[in-house]
């Protein structure tokens, strides 16, 4: 599947369905609030540690939930790759793969989205809506348009440029 997606230049949208910790996340809507970002990070880590991104260097994978837990734990993953025998096969640190993914703006916090842009660049971030679910922002464009810390060029990348490149529009 990865080879065919890479060949056709089809981006993979990696969204969780049946999230981890189901028995512990039933209450308080935690299955979505925590489960989706955790699963996004777990799936991304599998692609990194499992060698999928090395085997398919042109494969484009989009991570929802502003990358989930991946950006926030990338230092921990880097450290683990240095000290854990299970990760001795890694030829480069996990953080070297951050720009191999694209990310949406569903971080629900300007600080999260700005940090994401700082970590990977606006050319790897695209507008997310989470339409038609209640966890999506009512006006997703405003999240980007009102972010004064972004340059006009970065706003344009996030609002349309990154998606146009990714989808070859």
């Amino acid at each position: 599947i990865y080879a065919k997606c890479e060949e056709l230049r089809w981006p993979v949208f990696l969204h969780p369905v049946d999230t981890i910790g189901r028995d512990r996340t039933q209450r308080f809507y935690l299955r979505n609030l925590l489960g989706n970002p955790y699963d996004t990070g777990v799936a991304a880590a599998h692609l990194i540690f499992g060698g999928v991104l090395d085997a398919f260097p042109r494969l484009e994978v989009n991570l929802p939930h502003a990358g989930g837990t991946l950006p926030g734990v990338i230092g921990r993953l880097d450290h683990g790759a240095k000290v854990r025998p299970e990760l001795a096969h890694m030829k480069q640190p996990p953080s070297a793969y951050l720009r191999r993914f694209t990310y949406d703006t569903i971080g629900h916090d300007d600080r999260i989205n700005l940090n994401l842009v700082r970590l990977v660049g606006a050319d790897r971030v695209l507008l997310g809506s989470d339409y038609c679910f209640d966890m999506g922002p009512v006006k997703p464009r405003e999240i980007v348009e009102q972010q004064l810390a972004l340059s006009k060029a970065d706003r344009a990348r996030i609002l349309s440029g990154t998606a146009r490149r990714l989808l070859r529009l």
Side-chain angles (χ1 to χ4, degrees), residues 3 5 11-13 23 33 35 38 50 83 87 89 109 112 122 125 140 145 148-150 153 155 157 162 167:
C5 287
V12 174
F13 180 60
D23 58 323
L33 297 176
Y38 288 162
V83 302
L87 302 175
H89 67 282
D109 188 303
I112 299 296
V125 179
E145 290 170 340
L148 300 178
L150 292 173
R155 274 192 224 101
R157 286 181 189 97
T162 302
L167 300 172

Side-chain angles (χ1 to χ4, degrees), residues 123-135:
D123 63 316
R124 303 304 296 170
V125 179
L126 55 126
L127 184 68
S129 71
D130 224 355
Y131 181 82
C132 61
F133 300 100
D134 63 353
M135 286 303 293

Side-chain angles (χ1 to χ4, degrees), residues 43-106:
H46 275 279
L47 293 174
I48 293 168
F49 292 132
V52 173
L53 299 179
D54 291 328
F56 304 98
R58 293 182 322 276
L59 181 68
E60 289 279 2
V61 179
N62 180 258
L63 301 178
H65 317 110
T69 57
L70 181 68
V73 300
I74 198 64
R76 185 173 179 84
L77 298 183
D78 280 356
H79 180 74
K82 290 178 195 170
V83 302
R84 294 300 308 167
E86 302 92 337
L87 302 175
H89 67 282
M90 295 298 294
K91 293 175 179 53
Q92 57 185 348
S95 58
Y97 295 89
L98 282 174
R99 283 189 48 82
R100 283 295 313 280
F101 298 101
T102 56
Y103 307 80
D104 72 14
T105 55
I106 308 295

Side-chain angles (χ1 to χ4, degrees), residues 10-67:
W10 285 359
V12 174
F13 180 60
L14 192 66
H15 195 286
V17 175
D18 188 20
T19 60
I20 62 175
R22 177 172 224 144
D23 58 323
R24 297 176 59 205
T25 59
Q26 288 300 313
R27 293 182 67 198
F28 313 117
Y29 201 57
L30 294 180
R31 183 170 177 219
N32 185 294
L33 297 176
L34 297 176
N36 280 350
Y38 288 162
D39 255 19
T40 299
V42 169
H46 275 279
L47 293 174
I48 293 168
F49 292 132
V52 173
L53 299 179
D54 291 328
F56 304 98
R58 293 182 322 276
L59 181 68
E60 289 279 2
V61 179
N62 180 258
L63 301 178
H65 317 110

